[in-house]
Each structure stands twice: as C-alpha cells, then as structure tokens.
Amino acid sequence: HLESPHCIPTRPAIKTSTMASPALQSQANALNARMEGEAKTAIDSIERELLRPLAQKSYECIAKCYRTAGTTGSNEQLEHCSRSCQVVHQQAHGLLQQEINQFQNRLSRAMMQCNDEAQDMMTPDVQNNARKMKKIEDSVLKCISGVVEKNAGALKPMRERIESQIKSLGK
C-alpha cells in the first residue's frame, strides 16, 4: 500500500574534503536541492495523477467485496477478492519504485564520477595553490551542474515510461 511520497534521498553532491571550499559546498548543495526539488515534484505528480486513482479503484473494489460477501460469505472468498482488487495498484507501485531506484542509481553513479574526476586532479601542490584549487572546484561544479541538468531532463521520459506501463497493467 502506498504511503508517503517517494523521494530522492538527500545525497551530498560532493564529499566534504579538504578541497571543498565553503563556496563550492554551497553551490553543490544548491544544485542538490534543485535536483531533489524537481524529482520530488515529478514523483508527487505521478503519485497524485496515476497511483491515487488506482488506489481509489482498489479500495472501491475491496468495498464491493465486502458488500458481496455480506454476512454469509466465507473469509477465504473475501480475502481472495480483496487481494485481487489490489494487484494492479501494487504492480504500479512496484513500477514506480523500480524507476525511482534506477534514477537514484544513475544519479549517484554520475555524482561519484564527478568526485572521482576531482580526486584525479588533486596533487600535493594543489591544496596550497589557490589558482589550481579554483580550477578544480570550477571543474567539479561544472560536472555536478551537468549531472543535475541531464538527470532533471530524464524526469519527463521517466514519467512517460511509468504512465505507459501503468496503462498497460489493467489490460
């Protein structure tokens, strides 16, 4: 049964390290917040517009099971009827969760790539060289920004996939 909104958990875009200046950390956090906000908006919309109607049908179907069973129907019949009413909603919920997990994994891998690239640029002399440090931080920020843009752009196709799959469930 679907409870709360499915959200993209907060994950820092960059690891706090000796190279992360407060300005970089602040900009990375702002990009993270943007990504989380866009993902939450998309997922909330899917939940409201696609899953809630299925949940409503499921509960109406269950109520019908109880009306049909009345006071004389067996518990087994009632259980079977109730379970069959919930199948489509449960499958749709599973599809949404699978898409969210795949989205999170892609986002996480991309952010790790940004971190790896930053680590690869670090040399012993960089931490004492403001110009080189700034160059690395700019590169990291550009990478994170690109990840956010790309993944924010993936939300609409994700919704379309989920919508298409949910529509095919009832058939």
Side-chain angles (χ1 to χ4, degrees):
H1 139 56
L2 191 79
E3 294 267 71
S4 62
H6 308 272
C7 61
I8 305 297
T10 304
R11 291 190 179 137
I14 61 166
K15 297 173 190 160
T16 305
S17 68
T18 53
M19 67 159 249
S21 71
L24 174 64
Q25 195 66 51
S26 174
Q27 290 173 307
N29 288 343
L31 287 167
N32 267 356
R34 177 180 163 222
M35 183 74 257
E36 281 184 40
E38 290 192 29
K40 183 180 183 330
T41 298
I43 292 165
D44 285 351
S45 168
I46 291 166
E47 194 273 331
R48 278 191 317 276
E49 297 168 22
L50 303 174
L51 290 183
R52 284 184 191 177
L54 288 177
Q56 182 179 352
K57 285 180 187 173
S58 173
Y59 292 126
E60 289 168 355
C61 179
I62 292 169
K64 184 179 177 189
C65 293
Y66 277 86
R67 281 192 303 277
T68 303
T71 56
T72 58
S74 74
N75 283 342
E76 291 80 17
Q77 288 172 318
L78 188 57
E79 273 299 308
H80 176 72
C81 183
S82 294
R83 269 198 300 276
S84 67
C85 290
Q86 298 175 55
V87 170
V88 172
H89 180 248
Q90 289 171 344
Q91 288 173 336
H93 179 248
L95 287 170
L96 176 59
Q97 201 56 55
Q98 181 180 351
E99 284 284 346
I100 290 170
N101 290 343
Q102 289 171 353
F103 180 85
Q104 288 173 325
N105 288 338
R106 283 191 303 271
L107 183 59
S108 181
R109 285 192 309 269
M111 290 297 186
M112 282 192 271
Q113 182 66 36
C114 291
N115 282 321
D116 290 347
E117 289 172 13
Q119 290 301 319
D120 290 346
M121 289 188 260
M122 291 297 286
T123 58
D125 67 315
V126 168
Q127 290 184 6
N128 298 325
N129 184 322
R131 190 180 54 75
K132 286 182 181 178
M133 187 66 109
K134 174 85 169 99
K135 184 178 177 185
I136 291 172
E137 288 186 354
D138 288 347
S139 175
V140 169
L141 200 56
K142 182 178 178 184
C143 182
I144 293 168
S145 183
V147 166
V148 169
E149 286 301 316
K150 182 177 180 183
N151 283 276
L155 291 169
K156 185 175 186 227
M158 179 179 85
R159 180 198 168 90
E160 291 169 358
R161 276 192 310 277
I162 292 168
E163 193 167 3
S164 171
Q165 290 172 327
I166 286 175
K167 284 180 180 177
S168 71
L169 286 177
K171 295 178 181 174

